[in-house]
PDB file of all heavy atoms in Angstrom:
ATOM      1  N   LEU A 461     -19.358 -16.953  45.929  1.00  0.00           N
ATOM      2  CA  LEU A 461     -19.406 -16.836  44.471  1.00  0.00           C
ATOM      3  C   LEU A 461     -20.524 -17.730  43.915  1.00  0.00           C
ATOM      4  O   LEU A 461     -21.292 -17.320  43.031  1.00  0.00           O
ATOM      5  CB  LEU A 461     -18.036 -17.257  43.925  1.00  0.00           C
ATOM      6  CG  LEU A 461     -17.623 -16.848  42.526  1.00  0.00           C
ATOM      7  CD1 LEU A 461     -17.805 -15.360  42.289  1.00  0.00           C
ATOM      8  CD2 LEU A 461     -16.159 -17.237  42.292  1.00  0.00           C
ATOM      9  N   THR A 462     -20.631 -18.917  44.465  1.00  0.00           N
ATOM     10  CA  THR A 462     -21.675 -19.847  44.015  1.00  0.00           C
ATOM     11  C   THR A 462     -23.058 -19.231  44.238  1.00  0.00           C
ATOM     12  O   THR A 462     -23.931 -19.307  43.363  1.00  0.00           O
ATOM     13  CB  THR A 462     -21.553 -21.194  44.777  1.00  0.00           C
ATOM     14  OG1 THR A 462     -20.230 -21.692  44.564  1.00  0.00           O
ATOM     15  CG2 THR A 462     -22.562 -22.212  44.286  1.00  0.00           C
ATOM     16  N   GLU A 463     -23.254 -18.625  45.393  1.00  0.00           N
ATOM     17  CA  GLU A 463     -24.557 -17.994  45.661  1.00  0.00           C
ATOM     18  C   GLU A 463     -24.858 -16.931  44.594  1.00  0.00           C
ATOM     19  O   GLU A 463     -25.956 -16.875  44.038  1.00  0.00           O
ATOM     20  CB  GLU A 463     -24.556 -17.339  47.048  1.00  0.00           C
ATOM     21  CG  GLU A 463     -24.527 -18.350  48.188  1.00  0.00           C
ATOM     22  CD  GLU A 463     -24.434 -17.699  49.576  1.00  0.00           C
ATOM     23  OE1 GLU A 463     -24.012 -16.528  49.688  1.00  0.00           O
ATOM     24  OE2 GLU A 463     -24.778 -18.372  50.550  1.00  0.00           O
ATOM     25  N   LEU A 464     -23.857 -16.124  44.319  1.00  0.00           N
ATOM     26  CA  LEU A 464     -24.088 -15.043  43.347  1.00  0.00           C
ATOM     27  C   LEU A 464     -24.299 -15.573  41.935  1.00  0.00           C
ATOM     28  O   LEU A 464     -25.067 -15.013  41.151  1.00  0.00           O
ATOM     29  CB  LEU A 464     -22.908 -14.054  43.356  1.00  0.00           C
ATOM     30  CG  LEU A 464     -22.780 -13.200  44.619  1.00  0.00           C
ATOM     31  CD1 LEU A 464     -21.509 -12.350  44.566  1.00  0.00           C
ATOM     32  CD2 LEU A 464     -23.999 -12.283  44.792  1.00  0.00           C
ATOM     33  N   LEU A 465     -23.595 -16.641  41.619  1.00  0.00           N
ATOM     34  CA  LEU A 465     -23.668 -17.157  40.246  1.00  0.00           C
ATOM     35  C   LEU A 465     -24.889 -18.048  40.016  1.00  0.00           C
ATOM     36  O   LEU A 465     -25.259 -18.305  38.871  1.00  0.00           O
ATOM     37  CB  LEU A 465     -22.386 -17.921  39.899  1.00  0.00           C
ATOM     38  CG  LEU A 465     -21.090 -17.093  39.924  1.00  0.00           C
ATOM     39  CD1 LEU A 465     -19.881 -17.966  39.618  1.00  0.00           C
ATOM     40  CD2 LEU A 465     -21.144 -15.928  38.936  1.00  0.00           C
ATOM     41  N   CYS A 466     -25.496 -18.515  41.108  1.00  0.00           N
ATOM     42  CA  CYS A 466     -26.625 -19.449  40.933  1.00  0.00           C
ATOM     43  C   CYS A 466     -27.992 -18.805  41.128  1.00  0.00           C
ATOM     44  O   CYS A 466     -28.986 -19.326  40.634  1.00  0.00           O
ATOM     45  CB  CYS A 466     -26.503 -20.625  41.898  1.00  0.00           C
ATOM     46  SG  CYS A 466     -25.168 -21.721  41.452  1.00  0.00           S
ATOM     47  N   ASN A 467     -28.045 -17.702  41.855  1.00  0.00           N
ATOM     48  CA  ASN A 467     -29.375 -17.218  42.273  1.00  0.00           C
ATOM     49  C   ASN A 467     -29.871 -15.956  41.583  1.00  0.00           C
ATOM     50  O   ASN A 467     -30.923 -15.438  41.943  1.00  0.00           O
ATOM     51  CB  ASN A 467     -29.373 -16.988  43.792  1.00  0.00           C
ATOM     52  CG  ASN A 467     -29.087 -18.279  44.537  1.00  0.00           C
ATOM     53  OD1 ASN A 467     -29.403 -19.358  44.043  1.00  0.00           O
ATOM     54  ND2 ASN A 467     -28.461 -18.175  45.701  1.00  0.00           N
ATOM     55  N   TYR A 468     -29.112 -15.448  40.645  1.00  0.00           N
ATOM     56  CA  TYR A 468     -29.497 -14.142  40.079  1.00  0.00           C
ATOM     57  C   TYR A 468     -29.515 -14.129  38.548  1.00  0.00           C
ATOM     58  O   TYR A 468     -29.260 -13.104  37.919  1.00  0.00           O
ATOM     59  CB  TYR A 468     -28.564 -13.037  40.638  1.00  0.00           C
ATOM     60  CG  TYR A 468     -28.640 -13.007  42.158  1.00  0.00           C
ATOM     61  CD1 TYR A 468     -27.691 -13.674  42.926  1.00  0.00           C
ATOM     62  CD2 TYR A 468     -29.708 -12.397  42.800  1.00  0.00           C
ATOM     63  CE1 TYR A 468     -27.786 -13.705  44.319  1.00  0.00           C
ATOM     64  CE2 TYR A 468     -29.820 -12.421  44.193  1.00  0.00           C
ATOM     65  CZ  TYR A 468     -28.855 -13.078  44.939  1.00  0.00           C
ATOM     66  OH  TYR A 468     -28.972 -13.113  46.309  1.00  0.00           O
ATOM     67  N   GLY A 469     -29.818 -15.268  37.963  1.00  0.00           N
ATOM     68  CA  GLY A 469     -29.922 -15.322  36.499  1.00  0.00           C
ATOM     69  C   GLY A 469     -28.566 -15.180  35.839  1.00  0.00           C
ATOM     70  O   GLY A 469     -27.522 -15.443  36.452  1.00  0.00           O
ATOM     71  N   GLU A 470     -28.605 -14.725  34.593  1.00  0.00           N
ATOM     72  CA  GLU A 470     -27.359 -14.656  33.833  1.00  0.00           C
ATOM     73  C   GLU A 470     -26.455 -13.531  34.347  1.00  0.00           C
ATOM     74  O   GLU A 470     -26.907 -12.406  34.557  1.00  0.00           O
ATOM     75  CB  GLU A 470     -27.674 -14.444  32.350  1.00  0.00           C
ATOM     76  CG  GLU A 470     -26.437 -14.610  31.500  1.00  0.00           C
ATOM     77  CD  GLU A 470     -26.744 -14.604  30.007  1.00  0.00           C
ATOM     78  OE1 GLU A 470     -27.605 -15.399  29.574  1.00  0.00           O
ATOM     79  OE2 GLU A 470     -26.116 -13.802  29.303  1.00  0.00           O
ATOM     80  N   ILE A 471     -25.198 -13.870  34.546  1.00  0.00           N
ATOM     81  CA  ILE A 471     -24.210 -12.895  35.017  1.00  0.00           C
ATOM     82  C   ILE A 471     -23.255 -12.639  33.850  1.00  0.00           C
ATOM     83  O   ILE A 471     -22.657 -13.571  33.309  1.00  0.00           O
ATOM     84  CB  ILE A 471     -23.423 -13.466  36.226  1.00  0.00           C
ATOM     85  CG1 ILE A 471     -24.370 -13.852  37.374  1.00  0.00           C
ATOM     86  CG2 ILE A 471     -22.334 -12.492  36.684  1.00  0.00           C
ATOM     87  CD1 ILE A 471     -25.113 -12.720  38.033  1.00  0.00           C
ATOM     88  N   SER A 472     -23.130 -11.377  33.454  1.00  0.00           N
ATOM     89  CA  SER A 472     -22.319 -11.113  32.252  1.00  0.00           C
ATOM     90  C   SER A 472     -20.862 -10.867  32.581  1.00  0.00           C
ATOM     91  O   SER A 472     -19.990 -11.064  31.737  1.00  0.00           O
ATOM     92  CB  SER A 472     -22.879  -9.926  31.481  1.00  0.00           C
ATOM     93  OG  SER A 472     -22.733  -8.763  32.257  1.00  0.00           O
TER      94      SER A 472
END
Side-chain angles (χ1 to χ4, degrees):
L461 199 51
T462 304
E463 290 176 339
L464 291 175
L465 298 178
C466 289
N467 299 331
Y468 302 97
E470 190 172 307
I471 302 294
S472 66

